[in-house]
Amino acid sequence: METLFSELSAMLRGSAPVALAAAFVWGVLSIILSPCHLASIPLVVAVVGEQGSRTVRRAFGISALFALAVLLTIALVGIVTASLGRMLGDVGSTINYALAVIFVLLGLHFLGVFPLPWSGPGLGGGRRKGLLGAFLLGLLFGIGVGPCTFAYLAPMIGVTWKAAATSWALGVLLLVSYGLGHCSVILAAGTSAARVQRYLRWTEGTRGARILRQACGG
């Protein structure tokens, strides 16, 4: 693992195409290798399954909103905590405990203990509520995984600042490439869930979909 990180770090300092590719891979690894971020996979799969998202386009939209909200929150939390002189992403124990309670409640919801206002079939008003719900969950999730995120983002920030000294466009592209890699795993998980539902002819009320949603809730 240490060798992999060393190789990626060296690639980030290479030519522009190589650095952009390395930034994308680094973004993917920030999800796969982080226990914090791996929790986003069952969360987005449960949201997609609950909305009865049997079309790839619908699932992609839900997953994209979730991932976008995560990135927006991470950026905001980083700015706020840095301005307060705290470690990047450290929002304090009180907020962390509050977020823990929220995600426990979400787990109970996906287990079928109680409904939420945005849950239900992805039709009519429920469709809009489902999109809003995915976005709000992404915002909450981004706050909770802040410290984990910045552990992976710190090397990217260092490389970006160095690149921006000679080319601000390359610096921006490096961060964008990292963000795309970070989001790609979430998007793949959400759209794959829709493909599975479509292949198995699942809807939000079928037994298979309920079992999957409950497993994600657990």
Side-chain angles (χ1 to χ4, degrees):
M1 191 62 65
E2 185 177 348
T3 302
L4 174 61
F5 285 144
S6 298
E7 291 292 333
L8 284 172
S9 297
M11 291 172 66
L12 284 170
R13 294 172 176 81
S15 62
V18 172
L20 290 173
F24 182 87
V25 173
W26 194 283
V28 172
L29 292 178
S30 69
I31 290 281
I32 296 176
L33 300 181
S34 170
C36 305
H37 287 90
L38 277 178
S40 67
I41 304 304
L43 185 57
V44 74
V45 168
V47 173
V48 169
E50 186 172 56
Q51 295 299 312
S53 307
R54 295 177 63 189
T55 65
V56 174
R57 181 179 177 182
R58 166 75 173 164
F60 182 86
I62 291 175
S63 305
L65 278 175
F66 179 90
L68 176 63
V70 170
L71 288 181
L72 288 176
T73 308
I74 288 172
L76 180 60
V77 168
I79 292 171
V80 172
T81 55
S83 65
L84 294 176
R86 308 185 65 161
M87 183 183 74
L88 286 175
D90 181 12
V91 293
S93 59
T94 302
I95 294 180
N96 282 329
Y97 284 127
L99 289 170
V101 171
I102 290 173
F103 283 108
V104 167
L105 293 175
L106 284 171
L108 293 174
H109 162 68
F110 291 128
L111 285 169
V113 176
F114 56 83
L116 289 176
W118 50 265
S119 61
L123 300 172
R127 180 182 297 273
R128 292 188 294 273
K129 289 181 180 179
L131 294 173
L132 177 61
F135 187 78
L136 292 177
L137 284 180
L139 293 178
L140 291 172
F141 192 82
I143 296 173
V145 298
C148 294
T149 298
F150 290 107
Y152 286 89
L153 189 56
M156 279 301 309
I157 293 176
V159 172
T160 299
W161 282 347
K162 185 176 180 180
T166 55
S167 173
W168 66 268
L170 177 59
V172 171
L173 287 175
L174 283 171
L175 285 180
V176 170
S177 184
Y178 172 87
L180 290 174
H182 188 85
C183 293
S184 65
V185 181
I186 299 175
L187 291 174
T191 52
S192 296
R195 291 182 181 277
V196 169
Q197 288 194 62
R198 190 173 182 178
Y199 177 76
L200 298 177
R201 300 184 181 277
W202 284 357
T203 63
E204 65 276 8
T206 56
R207 184 172 182 270
R210 287 198 303 271
I211 292 174
L212 175 62
R213 187 168 62 248
Q214 289 170 358
C216 291

